[in-house]
Amino acid sequence: MTRPYNFSAGPAAMPAEVLQQAAAEMLDWQGSGMSVMEMSHRGKEFKSIIEAAESDLRELLAVPAHFRILFMQGGGLAENAIVPLNLSRGGAVDFVVTGSWSQKSFKEAGKYCETRLAASNAAQAHTELPDPASWRLSRDAQYVHLCSNETINGIEVHHLPDLKALGSDAPLVIDFSSHVASRPVDWSRVSLAFGGAQKNLGPAGLTLVVVREDLLGHALPICPSAFDYKTVADNGSMYNTPPTYAIYMAGLTFQWLKRQTEGELCGVAAMEQRNLAKAALLYDFIDQSQLYVNKVAGNCRSRMNVPFFLRDESRNEAFLAGAKAAGLLQLKGHKSVGGMRASIYNALPLAGVQALVTYMRDFEKTRA
Ligand SMILES: *Cc1c(COP(=O)(O)O)cnc(C)c1O
């Protein structure tokens, strides 16, 4: 069976091997006589699943021992409230707004704490990354929020800022929803990272939070217990019923990631090499083309989400219909930006990007 290539921004393509294993284990997980969906989250079977998922993720992302890994629910958007509820301590928070997602985070946090706009690229239509040296960081901020990959605008932070060097003692919080596990994370610069699973880790319904241990235990009194990081951590992500099937699927994805190699590299380092090659192929093609254009500055183009436009927008529908016929799905851009967007997450292989470039080249040639 050949499946089309799926360029969806999320929920997004998952590795075929993962889907096949889940299908094989659907009715009877490893001789238990149960589907993972039917198991008690407190039973020994599911306990082994969640423990393996956590330790595999810790290994893959090289998460240091003084960070906790939490499996939560509510997605990235809920974290826009949950982070200030846990970290703002009644004080102010600095926001770097680089696109739609950090704009949403900034707005939502305003319900729970004083928010300050440290930098924004709105005047550049979210196509450039404000130089960290120009960020107006406040002395007393409880944390600094940064979206390290703006899924809609196609901006990625390739070098996480060293806040100390910029004169801030605040912890850095990153929303890494759409590039988690596509590249290593420099935990010496990050104090909390959160992300929905449905872009690069598994199905929707699971939210990953990786948080430095000393940040736990400071939630505001109004914080719902199920969203208090300390409560979640103290209960091994089982204060309430966790999204068991999504954790299982993410766990299978972690095992798949651990099996991936590129030369000497394995796991996330191998994925990074592949993702660099995929992104270079697509951006290089777009840049030399007469028909397609990507408007993001060269130093912050996302390796995961590539928005592009046809210079002749009257051909958008024809482009999408032809793509679908060629087995290239979900290339329509986000409604707030328009045009096209190719999301090329871990599960989308180089061959998929090659097929896309071949189609784009043919479309440009035959219908210019
Ligand atoms: C998708 C996404 C979100 C929102 O996630 P939900 O699970 O829909 O709440 C937040 N931030 C970023 C960067 C995203 O890509």
Side-chain angles (χ1 to χ4, degrees):
M1 180 179 73
T2 59
R3 304 177 80 220
Y5 292 112
N6 181 351
F7 296 89
S8 172
M14 291 183 57
E17 282 172 52
V18 167
L19 296 173
Q20 279 156 353
Q21 187 176 345
E25 295 178 338
M26 178 60 75
L27 295 182
D28 179 7
W29 182 79
Q30 299 192 4
S32 67
M34 297 177 278
S35 167
V36 174
M37 278 182 244
E38 302 172 305
M39 291 173 182
S40 165
H41 59 297
R42 311 232 177 251
K44 69 174 188 335
E45 294 89 355
F46 185 73
K47 194 162 179 286
S48 74
I49 289 172
I50 193 171
E51 284 175 0
E54 183 179 332
S55 78
D56 286 343
L57 182 68
R58 191 176 285 279
E59 180 185 331
L60 278 167
L61 292 185
V63 177
H66 63 294
F67 281 73
R68 300 297 295 266
I69 292 173
L70 312 179
F71 295 123
M72 298 182 66
Q73 300 186 62
L77 285 192
E79 290 303 321
N80 286 343
I82 297 170
V83 175
L85 281 165
N86 278 274
L87 265 54
S88 69
R89 305 189 199 200
V93 177
D94 285 339
F95 281 81
V96 178
V97 169
T98 50
S100 307
W101 288 114
S102 46
Q103 180 64 45
K104 278 201 167 101
S105 305
F106 176 55
K107 193 168 170 227
E108 180 75 4
K111 293 182 181 177
Y112 306 102
C113 62
E114 183 193 334
T115 50
R116 296 181 185 154
L117 189 61
S120 167
N121 63 0
Q124 292 81 41
H126 303 310
T127 56
E128 293 171 20
L129 187 66
D131 180 357
S134 73
W135 297 358
R136 295 174 305 275
L137 299 172
S138 28
R139 289 235 150 266
D140 56 342
Q142 298 300 315
Y143 66 92
V144 177
H145 177 104
L146 175 70
C147 179
S148 47
N149 188 64
E150 287 279 4
T151 321
I152 292 173
N153 307 89
I155 292 186
E156 185 166 3
V157 180
H158 293 298
H159 304 282
L160 289 174
D162 177 357
L163 293 187
K164 276 220 163 39
L166 298 172
S168 167
D169 287 325
L172 179 65
V173 170
I174 61 169
D175 174 356
F176 69 168
S177 293
S178 52
H179 72 165
V180 54
S182 71
R183 60 189 300 160
V185 177
D186 181 353
W187 294 107
S188 73
R189 299 200 165 172
V190 176
S191 299
L192 185 150
F194 70 81
Q198 71 272 24
K199 314 287 165 66
N200 225 358
L201 300 181
L206 167 65
T207 316
L208 173 69
V209 176
V210 183
V211 55
R212 224 176 57 203
E213 207 152 37
D214 62 286
L215 295 177
L216 304 178
H218 304 285
L220 299 177
I222 57 160
C223 181
S225 306
F227 291 159
D228 181 329
Y229 291 142
K230 184 167 186 334
T231 304
V232 178
D234 287 349
N235 288 280
S237 297
M238 300 229 222
Y239 172 71
N240 64 331
T241 312
T244 51
Y245 200 76
I247 290 170
Y248 159 72
M249 292 296 285
L252 294 184
T253 305
F254 301 156
Q255 289 167 16
W256 176 83
L257 282 168
K258 284 175 69 175
R259 293 196 297 272
Q260 304 308 303
T261 57
E262 284 295 326
E264 302 285 288
L265 302 172
C266 66
V268 169
M271 293 319 302
E272 180 175 40
Q273 290 312 306
R274 278 187 214 169
N275 290 328
L276 279 165
K278 283 151 52 185
L281 176 62
L282 186 49
Y283 284 114
D284 287 351
F285 170 74
I286 290 171
D287 287 344
Q288 60 76 48
S289 134
Q290 304 299 307
L291 178 61
Y292 310 102
V293 59
N294 168 279
K295 298 177 182 173
V296 178
N299 67 345
C300 57
R301 285 174 160 186
S302 171
R303 298 173 187 169
M304 297 281 100
N305 310 99
V306 183
F308 62 92
F309 298 87
L310 275 59
R311 289 182 201 271
D312 176 2
E313 298 235 281
S314 73
R315 291 159 67 198
N316 281 359
E317 290 311 315
F319 177 87
L320 288 168
K324 192 169 177 198
L328 308 167
L329 306 183
Q330 309 208 68
L331 284 162
K332 194 178 170 120
H334 190 272
K335 60 183 185 305
S336 66
V337 173
M340 310 296 157
R341 173 174 51 170
S343 294
I344 50 176
Y345 298 122
N346 283 347
L348 198 288
L350 180 63
V353 179
Q354 288 165 338
L356 174 61
V357 167
T358 300
Y359 168 72
M360 289 170 71
R361 184 180 289 121
D362 289 350
F363 185 84
E364 179 170 359
K365 258 198 218 134
T366 54
R367 285 175 246 188

